[in-house]
Amino acid sequence: MFSLEDSMQIVEMRVHSIAIADPPLRSSYGLHAPYALRTILELISEDGVTGISETHGGDAIAQGFEAMRSKIVGSSAYRLAGSLISLIEGEPQGTNLERSQTFYVPGENPLDASRRLYSAVEIASLDLIGRSLGQPVCDLLGGRVRDAVPFSAYLFYKHSGGGGEGADARADEYGEALTPHGLVAQARQMIAKYGFRDIKFKAGVLDPEIEIETVRQLRGAFGPSVPVRMDPNCAWSVDTSICVGKTLAQELNQGGYLEDPTATMEGMGTVRRKLLDEGIDVPLASNVAVTSFADLAEAVRTDGVQIVLSDPHYWGGLRQTQHLGKLCRSFGLGLSMHSNTHLGVSLMAMTHAAAATPHLSYACDTHYPWQSGEDEVVVGGRIPFVDGCVCISEKPGLGVELDRDQLARGRERYARCCYRKRDDEAEMRKHIDPAWRRILPRW
Amino acid sequence: MFSLEDSMQIVEMRVHSIAIADPPLRSSYGLHAPYALRTILELISEDGVTGISETHGGDAIAQGFEAMRSKIVGSSAYRLAGSLISLIEGEPQGTNLERSQTFYVPGENPLDASRRLYSAVEIASLDLIGRSLGQPVCDLLGGRVRDAVPFSAYLFYKHSGGGGEGADARADEYGEALTPHGLVAQARQMIAKYGFRDIKFKAGVLDPEIEIETVRQLRGAFGPSVPVRMDPNCAWSVDTSICVGKTLAQELNQGGYLEDPTATMEGMGTVRRKLLDEGIDVPLASNVAVTSFADLAEAVRTDGVQIVLSDPHYWGGLRQTQHLGKLCRSFGLGLSMHSNTHLGVSLMAMTHAAAATPHLSYACDTHYPWQSGEDEVVVGGRIPFVDGCVCISEKPGLGVELDRDQLARGRERYARCCYRKRDDEAEMRKHIDPAWRRILPRW
């Protein structure tokens, strides 16, 4: 029977642009740079409690937060998500193709910029409220529906190197992996360390024949109890997508899926229809054709997507992830979770989102195994995984605090490195092939 | 930086079955009884804070709460909605027709019983948390997106009488209204008192010709700036529905709608398609064909419903109302809110739900004008309306507290009266026509 109203007023906002080492991972977008960019947002309340969140990096999003400063400072943490709602409830601009990630690496699409900003503010507000009340974030959202959130082993074709540059280079924990055999070895190593029970395989990099063989060897190595999801990020034509779907009809079912084999909702719908015509029910997932609520009606109408990849960083935060879950359940769509290169603050936001979203029907993706303790910014270092899961504890908020020294190192790395936005195509040209261009479809 | 964990543990649950006077209102279901039944739920935390909610009445729901007692007492208010989620996330049983309200008055459909129980528990938990923290409920849900929630003038054909029986009879504030002229007079009186800017007209009672004339006279009296929604609760055939839609094409547009003209989603879809074929775009709303998330895919597929009526009492509480709003927005559906006979606790839960649901695109329904201060159970008596709106204040929780004397009177009325469930058909036979049966379609 006391009022926390005043104590929840936000009196300060801090935006930290950081860089973290990232290994040379490949995807259809190109190559990961030696440093990935992240942003840590801090909201500080009148009584000195700090709420944090983590999102995409670079100068643009940092400027975006600065532009919102006057709307954030002075507000109540309880009302911030409501007062900023126009950032995510306005009619989305552009066509589905423009909104989609088809032509943008995640975090660089101007049409979802306001949703990304909103997400980070909502999550930091929830962390602030949770820390003030001694409540975990998921319990501010109706209460956990699961205590342990499963993640998948995110496999990449990879060049040698552990990320970072010069004296700041990281050890290459996993080594080069540019063959089916190399991917299986990577999977064994990652699963042995983290206990993952699902495999996410980033395809769209090598010839489809090699990638098909990779999936087969993964299945051979782990058996059908470890579902495989394959994600070529639109690298294939409709015909190639159908061909791969037919060839891997067994391997990509039984809890797995084929994610964004080809570009556009129409393309996805055609792939789905033609596979079904041949009696093949490989579910199609998407984080490219479907990246916002505005895409869902078309996804349902065309049946181009059977599984939606949520992501609290993109879709508007934790409550919007819950909305998405209910929507997917209502329309018979599965729900998984997308990941980008991230640290422990994002990992815990994803974990709390999953813990508070009943319908989450697939293990979440995470890039976390690709980062190291040298770059982690949370107190105590790396978040532990148990049997492939991150556990929700009784700790308040997101359950993590910032390690100020590590944060300062991340800022220094940002100041020192040459990157201000993500451009995997440029990295590909710089390190691998000066003539490389992203071509859709490539095969 | 303190923990409220223990103080949010629920140590007691109280269930109050009450009866309140209700005037003899008519609908296609029959006649309102002299008493409507409601239930007040109290959840009391370890440190003595009480959270409340109000829902449907009668013995069945009270027994339902008792059956849940062991799952509620001992739980944290923060985790209750999550721990009980299986009550609302299980696959709905039965067909759409069985799930729907076609054959049941609201509150008496066994297939939504668990959702009704869940709703009341979620709302009382939120009130408890809000009161403990000094925060309004809508601000626990992301924060208000509006401060004033508009309601509509809910007009009924009505026999003379104000409700209640014998010495407990209420004054007949509005008098008999069984003609177009009578409905217009009722509307004038209600709008003058409350300031409503929308009209909800409960039809399906008199011959469609008379009801068409009623809408025309309402339009004549108030003009196009006061939108009219018309709800015959499935009383009409597909052909009659099309005929009324064509005849009232102007009057039921411009912010109004035609709600559940006919039974079944197929029927609704046919009405919609045939009206569109003739160039008539009267939107169809529903609280009968669509009463759960499980109905929405079919509603979208058939285009049988353009506006969904939410109701925090039926759909699973306030967070589920927010989910529904986002879903409706994503699929281009409008969102309104359904009402049953209720007191101030329900009114405030509806108001907070609406305040925290950005997409609410229509004024909410409310039966509140049909009740009186003699039956109100909140401290201070009747909730005020300003220009047809209920305002969200800075008061914690739902913003209302129980008047213990009035609650005791409601319980005494319940003990004394002969009603233990709602049966509008039986009341119709008892008071109006011994041979009356509900026939669908009647016209």
Side-chain angles (χ1 to χ4, degrees), chain B residues 121-431:
Chain B
V121 172
E122 190 238 23
I123 293 168
S125 300
L126 284 166
D127 184 49
L128 173 53
I129 295 169
R131 299 179 75 77
S132 295
L133 304 182
Q135 292 294 331
V137 160
C138 58
D139 296 332
L140 302 178
L141 301 169
R144 59 191 71 182
V145 292
R146 53 183 71 83
D147 278 304
V149 172
F151 287 83
S152 60
Y154 207 150
L155 311 183
F156 286 83
Y157 292 119
K158 174 186 172 298
H159 299 277
S160 63
E165 287 179 325
D168 190 45
R170 303 282 176 277
D172 186 5
E173 182 177 2
Y174 288 93
E176 182 182 275
L178 291 166
T179 62
H181 181 75
L183 262 280
V184 170
Q186 186 186 93
R188 285 195 197 282
Q189 187 177 342
M190 196 178 284
I191 286 173
K193 182 166 178 180
Y194 293 94
F196 297 124
R197 290 164 290 182
D198 295 76
I199 286 173
K200 160 103 170 193
F201 161 42
K202 183 61 94 181
V205 173
L206 303 181
D207 188 277
E209 286 300 318
I210 301 173
E211 299 193 339
I212 287 168
E213 177 60 20
T214 300
V215 170
R216 286 188 167 145
Q217 290 199 17
L218 287 167
R219 174 52 48 100
F222 296 98
S225 68
V226 178
V228 176
R229 56 188 77 168
M230 182 183 200
D231 175 17
N233 285 117
C234 313
W236 303 335
S237 67
V238 166
D239 286 347
T240 301
S241 302
I242 292 166
C243 178
V244 175
K246 284 164 68 172
T247 307
L248 295 176
Q250 289 305 310
E251 291 84 352
L252 297 179
N253 220 313
Q254 303 168 310
Y257 49 72
L258 181 55
E259 182 182 333
D260 289 310
T262 196
T264 81
M265 199 80 83
E266 288 69 24
M268 294 283 281
T270 305
V271 171
R272 173 67 172 165
R273 199 170 55 252
K274 293 203 172 175
L275 284 174
L276 282 180
D277 284 348
E278 302 204 33
I280 293 167
D281 187 14
V282 169
L284 303 185
S286 181
N287 178 58
V288 174
V290 173
T291 59
S292 84
F293 284 93
D295 301 324
L296 288 160
E298 193 181 352
V300 166
R301 187 180 56 73
T302 61
D303 193 29
V305 174
Q306 288 73 56
I307 296 144
V308 176
L309 271 70
S310 63
D311 184 333
H313 304 89
Y314 284 98
W315 285 80
L318 304 191
R319 292 188 184 88
Q320 300 293 318
T321 301
Q322 293 182 301
H323 298 335
L324 178 62
K326 192 74 191 199
L327 186 154
C328 285
R329 182 177 189 91
S330 302
F331 283 85
L333 299 170
L335 187 71
S336 187
M337 193 182 289
H338 166 262
S339 157
N340 280 135
T341 301
H342 63 88
L343 295 173
V345 184
S346 277
L347 180 64
M348 290 314 299
M350 294 159 72
T351 301
H352 280 268
T357 303
H359 183 54
L360 193 90
S361 43
Y362 291 87
C364 303
D365 290 343
T366 177
H367 287 63
Y368 204 60
W370 296 107
Q371 271 53 62
S372 80
E374 289 174 73
D375 297 276
E376 183 54 270
V377 295
V378 304
V379 169
R382 302 270 294 167
I383 311 283
F385 284 72
V386 178
D387 294 334
C389 295
V390 175
C391 295
I392 294 289
S393 70
E394 301 299 314
K395 289 182 190 164
L398 294 173
V400 286
E401 290 182 65
L402 290 176
D403 180 321
R404 298 285 162 184
D405 293 338
Q406 282 292 88
L407 185 66
R409 287 185 195 101
R411 290 178 62 123
E412 286 160 20
R413 246 179 259 117
Y414 188 87
R416 209 167 52 226
C417 80
C418 65
Y419 300 101
R420 288 300 174 265
K421 57 176 271 195
R422 180 175 170 185
D423 187 346
D424 290 14
E425 202 170 338
E427 287 304 299
M428 192 69 186
R429 284 195 286 267
K430 187 169 158 189
H431 295 282

Side-chain angles (χ1 to χ4, degrees), chain B residues 12-27:
Chain B
E12 194 179 346
M13 176 183 85
R14 295 191 197 125
V15 181
H16 306 281
S17 295
I18 63 173
I20 61 177
D22 200 21
L25 308 179
R26 290 282 297 273
S27 77

Side-chain angles (χ1 to χ4, degrees), chain A residues 1-6 8 47-49 76-83 85 88-92 118 129 131-136 138-145 147 293-294 296-298 300 315 319-320 322-324 326-327 329-331 358-359 393-394 401, chain B residues 1-6 8 47-50 76-83 85 88-91 118 129 131-136 138-145 147 293-294 296-298 300 315 319-320 322-324 326-327 329-331 358-359 393-394 401:
Chain A
M1 295 284 237
F2 48 89
S3 172
L4 295 172
E5 225 168 286
D6 294 335
M8 287 298 185
D47 64 352
V49 180
S76 157
Y78 281 113
R79 297 194 189 172
L80 202 43
S83 68
I85 197 76
I88 60 167
E89 284 282 321
E91 284 304 318
Y118 182 92
I129 294 169
R131 300 180 74 77
S132 295
L133 304 182
Q135 292 295 332
C138 58
D139 296 331
L140 302 177
L141 301 169
R144 60 193 69 183
V145 292
D147 278 306
F293 284 92
L296 288 161
E298 194 180 352
V300 165
W315 285 79
R319 292 188 184 88
Q320 299 293 318
Q322 294 182 300
H323 297 336
L324 178 61
K326 192 75 190 198
L327 187 154
R329 181 177 190 91
S330 302
F331 283 86
H359 183 54
S393 70
E394 301 298 315
E401 291 182 64
Chain B
M1 295 282 236
F2 47 88
S3 173
L4 296 173
E5 225 168 287
D6 294 334
M8 287 300 184
D47 64 352
V49 180
T50 299
S76 156
Y78 280 114
R79 297 195 189 171
L80 204 42
S83 67
I85 198 77
I88 60 169
E89 283 283 321
E91 283 305 316
Y118 182 93
I129 295 169
R131 299 179 75 77
S132 295
L133 304 182
Q135 292 294 331
C138 58
D139 296 332
L140 302 178
L141 301 169
R144 59 191 71 182
V145 292
D147 278 304
F293 284 93
L296 288 160
E298 193 181 352
V300 166
W315 285 80
R319 292 188 184 88
Q320 300 293 318
Q322 293 182 301
H323 298 335
L324 178 62
K326 192 74 191 199
L327 186 154
R329 182 177 189 91
S330 302
F331 283 85
H359 183 54
S393 70
E394 301 299 314
E401 290 182 65

Side-chain angles (χ1 to χ4, degrees), chain A residues 20-25 31-36 163-164 419 421 423-424 427 431:
Chain A
I20 62 176
D22 201 21
L25 308 178
L31 176 72
H32 283 213
Y35 292 101
Y419 300 102
K421 57 177 271 196
D423 187 345
D424 291 15
E427 287 304 299
H431 296 282

